[in-house]
Amino acid sequence: MFEELIAEWDGERVVIRHDSPSGAWMFICMHSTRLGPAGGGTRMNVYDTPQDGLADAMRLSRAMTAKFAVAGVDFGGGKAVLAVRELPRGYERRDLLLRYGDTVASLRGGFVTAPDMNTTESDMDVVAERAEGFVFCRSPEHGGSGSSAPATALGVFHGIRATVQRALDRDVEGLTVLVQGAGGVGGALVELLAGAGARVLVSDLDEDRAQGVAANAHASVVPADRALDSECDVYAPCAVGGVLNEQTIARLRCRVVAGAANNQLASPADAQRLAARGILYAPDFVINAGGVFHGIGKELLGWDDERLGRELESIGDTLREVFDRAERDGTSTEAAAQRLADERLSTPTQPRALAR
Ligand code: NAI
C-alpha cells in the first residue's frame, strides 16, 4: 500500500512500523545522510489515511535535507510521523512514545529527532528513555535545551527584516505584519515584531490563544478564515504547511511572505506564482533554521547564547544571498535557495558549523 509513494520518493530509507497496541503507524524517513545522520522532528498527527502520514514525512524530510545544507550544519534530512487514530494522553501516550523510542534506538544514530507538531519537550524526555543520545530538545530538567520555538521566532524575525529591507527598502517599524498561528513560534514572533514597532495582526484557529497573544503585544486579532484576505505588508505563516497554493496566492494582499511554517508551498509552481504577483517570498527552509541552530548548536556544538544569537542573525545574511542569486539567475527565490542547498550537498567538505 505504500509502494507507489516510496517508488516516487528520492530519499534513502524509510522505516515503517505498525504499532498494534495503539493502531498508530510510525514512519521514519531518512531522506539524505550525505552530510551526516538524518535529523528531523517527530510529528504526531491524525491523517485521513496512513499514506497521507507517510507522504507528509517524506516531504518534510526532503525539506530538512535542504535546511541543514543551507544552514551549514553537518546533518542529513529526516522526519518521523506518528500517524495516530487520535492524539493520545497519559499512559497510552507514554507507552506509544516508548515503543517509538525503541524504533529510533534500533537505527543506532542513523536518525536523530526533536519535537514537532503535537509533540513536546516532555515527549522527547520519554523517547530518550529508550533512545538516549538520539533525541534533541528534551526538557532542561532532563538535560536538554528545551523548546526551540523562541530561537526559531528570533531567526524568523531577522529573516523578515532582511526580506522587508529587500522588498520595501525599509525596516518593519510602522509596517503591518499578519502572523498566522499564535503557537510557540508565532506567539514569540508577535512580541518581537511589536517590540520593533510593527502593527501586528494575529490569527489562530484557537481564537482564545490568538486573543491571549494579541493582548500581550497590543496586536489585533483576525478571524482564521479571513486571515488571508487581510491587507498587510508581510504575511508570516506560522501554523501549518501547504498554505500557499493557486487559490490562496490569488487572494493575498501583501508584499512579502516570510514565516516559520514548514513546506508552505503546496507545489513548486507556487514560488513562480508569488513572484508573478510581485510578492517576495523567503523560502521556509532558510528562514526557519533557528530551531536546528538551537537544538544542535546548544546540545552538540557547545554554543552559548551569544553564539546562538549570531547564528540566528546570519539567517538574514543567507536570505540576502538567496535574493541576490534569484535576481542574478532570473529564478524564484525558492529555486535559488534549493540551488544553494544542492551546491552545498555536492561539496560536503567542511560544513560551517562543525568546521569552527
Ligand atoms: P504550535 O503547535 O505551537 O503552534 C501552531 C499554532 O497554529 C497553534 O496555535 C494552532 O492552533 C495554529 N493553527 C493550526 N492551523 C491553523 C490555521 N489553519 N490557521 C491559523 N492557525 C492555525 O507550533 P510552533 O512550534 O509554533 O510551529 C509553528 C510552525 O513552524 C509549524 O509549521 C512548525 O512546523 C514550524 N516550525 C517550528 C519550529 C520550532 O522550533 N518550533 C522550527 C521550524 C519550523
Side-chain angles (χ1 to χ4, degrees), residues 147 149-150 153 181-189 209:
S147 170
V185 177
L189 180 62
R209 189 174 294 168

Side-chain angles (χ1 to χ4, degrees), residues 29-352:
C29 292
M30 288 169 271
H31 178 258
S32 167
T33 53
R34 210 177 301 170
L35 295 179
T42 297
R43 174 167 293 199
M44 192 187 284
N45 212 0
V46 178
Y47 294 88
D48 287 343
T49 67
Q51 286 87 340
D52 290 345
L54 174 58
D56 207 17
M58 287 177 161
R59 264 194 307 269
L60 290 159
S61 68
R62 184 185 292 124
M64 289 307 296
T65 298
K67 189 184 302 195
F68 281 121
V70 169
V73 175
D74 237 359
F75 275 82
K79 203 80 180 189
V81 159
L82 304 181
V84 291
R85 290 181 174 156
E86 58 185 306
L87 293 178
R89 293 163 183 261
Y91 280 108
E92 282 179 16
R93 186 179 186 95
R94 179 177 161 76
D95 290 347
L96 171 64
L97 290 169
L98 287 173
R99 293 189 293 269
Y100 167 63
D102 288 336
T103 311
V104 173
S106 74
L107 300 171
R108 299 168 188 226
F111 173 73
V112 297
T113 197
D116 195 81
M117 183 187 287
N118 296 324
T119 60
T120 63
E121 52 198 88
S122 316
D123 291 330
M124 292 306 113
D125 293 341
V126 177
V127 176
E129 286 181 34
R130 296 289 173 80
E132 179 147 25
F134 309 137
V135 183
F136 288 89
C137 301
R138 288 163 298 144
S139 63
E141 307 84 74
H142 285 79
S145 59
S147 170
S148 58
T152 301
L154 184 52
V156 170
F157 175 66
H158 290 306
I160 288 176
R161 292 185 67 192
T163 313
V164 162
Q165 192 66 47
R166 181 59 59 106
L168 306 173
D169 199 20
R170 56 176 293 180
D171 204 352
V172 293
E173 187 176 3
L175 293 184
T176 302
V177 184
L178 165 68
V179 178
Q180 181 185 44
V185 177
L189 180 62
V190 166
E191 280 186 29
L192 290 164
L193 288 164
R199 185 175 159 254
V200 187
L201 309 177
V202 192
S203 134
D204 199 292
L205 285 181
D206 180 341
E207 202 154 326
D208 288 343
R209 189 174 294 168
Q211 294 284 4
V213 164
N216 285 337
H218 303 294
S220 313
V221 173
V222 178
D225 57 353
R226 297 223 304 274
L228 292 187
D229 303 310
S230 314
E231 189 156 355
C232 56
D233 299 291
V234 180
Y235 163 41
C238 296
V240 287
V243 287
L244 301 169
N245 56 47
E246 195 170 358
Q247 288 72 37
T248 57
I249 290 170
R251 279 166 60 195
L252 292 179
R253 298 168 71 195
C254 62
R255 299 284 308 279
V256 162
V257 174
N262 283 309
N263 290 14
Q264 292 168 29
L265 301 174
S267 75
D270 296 314
Q272 288 295 352
R273 291 194 176 101
L274 286 165
R277 286 216 47 209
I279 297 172
L280 187 60
Y281 170 62
D284 46 19
F285 61 85
V286 180
I287 194 171
N288 72 12
V292 305
F293 284 147
H294 167 91
I296 293 171
K298 287 200 137 178
E299 295 185 28
L300 198 65
L301 305 174
W303 293 356
D304 58 13
D305 287 343
E306 197 192 328
R307 172 70 188 272
L308 176 62
R310 285 205 306 277
E311 297 291 340
L312 295 174
E313 217 171 324
S314 78
I315 289 173
D317 302 329
T318 309
L319 281 170
R320 280 185 275 277
E321 184 180 349
V322 167
F323 300 146
D324 287 345
R325 283 168 165 250
E327 269 175 39
R328 191 191 65 204
D329 300 342
T331 65
S332 69
T333 53
E334 173 81 2
Q338 189 59 54
R339 191 170 297 175
L340 184 59
D342 292 342
E343 281 173 22
R344 291 195 176 157
L345 279 164
S346 61
T347 51
T349 42
Q350 283 255 297
R352 188 180 57 139

